[in-house]
Amino acid sequence: MILTTGSAGFIGSNFVLDWLTQSDEAVINLDKLTYAGNLDNLATLKSNPNHIFVHGDIGDAALTAKLLTQYRPRAVVNFAAESHVDRSIHGPEDFIQTNIVGTFHLLEAVRAYWSGLTNTEKAAFRFLHVSTDEVYGSLDRDEPAFTETRRYEPNSPYSASKAASDHLVRAYHHTYGLPVLTTNCSNNYGPYHFPEKLIPLMIVNALAGKNLPVYGDGQQIRDWLYVKDHCSAIRCVLQNGKPGEVYNIGGWNEKANLDIVHIVCDILDELSPPATHHLPFSTYRSLITFVTDRPGHDRRYAIDARKIERELGWKPAETFETGIRKTAQWYLDNQAWVNNVLSGSYRQWVEKNYTERT
Ligand code: NAD
Ligand code: DAU
């Protein structure tokens, strides 16, 4: 079996759902259930004996040690993190605690467990750390995309905390020989994405007739990857990646934020026009509102994903056009999930992040 962390969140839950449709290998899912962790994402696994959910913190080394000894996984995949840049600007401490201190405690527990394995088990074991393209900093418009050898230049408390965790993971390989793999991926989108992030926020706000807040001039560029393609890349790296190596994962889909918002509006106009929600306008584009920019906002990210394609044969299956359509349809079909997520604490976050923006 494998142990994953943070798999009640967006990417981790998609990963576990996909894993269990393709494999009988069981998954132990260790998650703290922060505001971003949601067991509704895993509701279809309720009676699946191959999914073992454990409520806990990656910073609790005793708990992780107990799980490792009890279940003896052949691999650990670390998704657990505080993941939202705006939250890291309002309050960085949780990011330091989970992303840096938590990853350190997890690595320590894994190192102790791995040291006690037989030589064959040791060689087969993997620790896969899920990281982000944001560790590389911001690109100018004409600069080449991030390769795996790009210098680290994190600019937000979030990306700095992820960069620190990447360095720890690297050090555990270099110093102790732990067979680690690190993946640095671009912006994901798809089912179960918490509506504090750009794409799900725009979908949820549009359907409710609320403003669509675009930071600054909306010309910041991100590379977008459908979440299930990220999951297939992680499976591929886990299976075939070389210990100690880093793999960039991306969708070859660079787009400016304003273009993303336009595309989302146009698809919703087609799939669920404003009139069907009794909204007094003909296109969701009329809800677009430019608001104060994010402090320290990175201008452009772009991923050069040639290494994973060349060495491991991975390529994304979805284009942005197919993935965004599936995503919009998923939100329309899963209103109950959306309504559960829009709870009291979510409303407090929206107030905190958006009322001060003019
Ligand atoms: P998310 O915020 O949706 O989910 C994070 C999960 O981690 C939640 O279930 C939460 O409860 C859990 N968690 C938080 N702190 C924990 C702790 N101390 N112990 C155990 N569990 C804890 O995040 P996501 O978007 O699914 O991102 C998953 C990983 O992928 C993160 O490491 C993130 O940095 C990375 N990543 C995300 C993206 C993206 O676009 N979302 C892109 C590249 C990389
Ligand atoms: O690049 C990978 C990263 O992508 C991951 O490591 C992070 O965990 C993930 O949250 C994401 O970070 P971003 O900051 O790029 O994602 P977010 O959805 O928050 O914002 C995307 C862009 O949209 C960014 O330029 C800010 C802008 N934005 C965002 C929000 C929430 C807006 O213009 N308005 C908004 O309301």
Side-chain angles (χ1 to χ4, degrees):
M1 60 172 64
I2 64 166
L3 187 151
T4 68
T5 70
S7 288
F10 165 47
I11 302 172
S13 61
N14 275 286
F15 179 83
V16 169
L17 290 168
D18 281 4
W19 181 274
L20 291 174
T21 57
Q22 298 180 27
S23 161
D24 329 327
E25 191 175 15
V27 179
I28 315 144
N29 177 355
L30 172 64
D31 195 295
K32 189 179 173 183
L33 296 181
T34 67
Y35 78 93
N38 184 353
L39 288 178
D40 284 355
N41 301 5
L42 302 160
T44 54
L45 301 178
K46 215 165 186 178
S47 48
N48 187 332
N50 281 345
H51 178 239
I52 301 154
F53 181 78
V54 180
H55 184 195
D57 191 325
I58 57 164
D60 182 347
L63 171 64
T64 318
K66 187 173 143 247
L67 294 175
L68 291 167
T69 313
Q70 183 180 351
Y71 293 109
R72 301 186 63 76
R74 68 168 177 98
V76 172
V77 183
N78 184 29
F79 293 96
E82 289 293 335
S83 69
H84 190 32
V85 174
D86 291 319
R87 286 188 192 252
S88 83
I89 294 167
H90 285 283
E93 185 158 0
D94 286 347
F95 290 73
I96 308 306
Q97 280 310 326
T98 285
N99 300 0
I100 306 178
V101 182
T103 303
F104 161 69
H105 286 300
L106 180 64
L107 281 165
E108 275 294 89
V110 169
R111 179 168 75 92
Y113 163 70
W114 175 77
S115 304
L117 297 178
T118 64
N119 283 344
T120 317
E121 289 167 332
K122 265 187 178 164
F125 185 83
R126 296 288 181 269
F127 179 93
L128 191 153
H129 180 60
V130 179
S131 192
T132 169
D133 58 0
E134 300 202 10
V135 297
Y136 299 122
S138 186
L139 288 165
D140 290 335
R141 184 165 274 276
D142 300 325
E143 265 188 285
F146 301 130
T147 63
E148 289 79 358
T149 53
R150 167 99 185 182
R151 186 175 59 189
Y152 271 37
E153 276 182 340
N155 289 321
S156 71
Y158 163 68
S159 54
S161 68
K162 290 296 292 186
S165 67
D166 293 8
H167 292 326
L168 283 170
V169 170
R170 176 189 158 87
Y172 272 64
H173 176 71
H174 193 78
T175 305
Y176 304 113
L178 190 69
V180 306
L181 299 155
T182 299
T183 55
N184 293 87
C185 187
S186 57
N187 285 59
N188 286 213
Y189 66 97
Y192 304 112
H193 204 183
F194 194 76
E196 63 184 353
K197 309 281 171 67
L198 181 71
I199 288 180
L201 181 84
M202 295 299 146
I203 296 174
V204 166
N205 276 15
L207 295 175
K210 294 185 178 160
N211 284 345
L212 306 181
V214 173
Y215 296 167
D217 62 3
Q219 292 308 312
Q220 303 81 7
I221 292 171
R222 299 288 182 268
D223 168 71
W224 294 94
L225 180 70
Y226 190 60
V227 64
K228 290 185 187 302
D229 278 328
H230 188 186
C231 296
S232 75
I234 292 171
R235 286 197 305 274
C236 172
V237 173
L238 191 59
Q239 178 79 17
N240 299 316
K242 190 166 159 239
E245 290 290 316
V246 173
Y247 298 91
N248 281 356
I249 303 169
W252 303 103
N253 273 309
E254 276 187 67
K255 288 205 177 350
N257 292 339
L258 188 57
D259 294 336
I260 294 286
V261 178
H262 284 156
I263 292 168
V264 167
C265 289
D266 295 351
I267 290 179
L268 291 178
D269 284 346
E270 183 195 323
L271 296 179
S272 189
T276 57
H277 301 273
H278 308 291
L279 295 168
F281 44 79
S282 61
T283 167
Y284 292 106
R285 285 192 185 207
S286 54
L287 294 171
I288 293 173
T289 311
F290 291 91
V291 300
T292 312
D293 209 349
R294 172 186 278 175
H297 201 170
D298 284 335
R299 199 67 184 164
R300 175 176 166 238
Y301 305 140
I303 276 281
D304 182 333
R306 279 178 299 178
K307 175 177 173 182
I308 185 171
E309 180 174 352
R310 190 178 58 243
E311 296 186 9
L312 307 183
W314 176 86
K315 271 204 288 197
E318 301 289 343
T319 63
F320 188 72
E321 290 63 34
T322 57
I324 194 68
R325 198 162 269 278
K326 285 184 182 174
T327 304
Q329 192 62 57
W330 187 88
Y331 279 85
L332 288 166
D333 294 343
N334 288 276
Q335 284 296 316
W337 182 91
V338 172
N339 292 337
N340 280 343
V341 162
L342 306 183
S343 66
S345 69
Y346 177 76
R347 284 198 290 275
Q348 280 158 23
W349 162 251
V350 169
E351 211 165 292
K352 190 178 200 174
N353 194 42
Y354 294 98
T355 45
E356 282 169 16
R357 291 178 195 270
T358 50

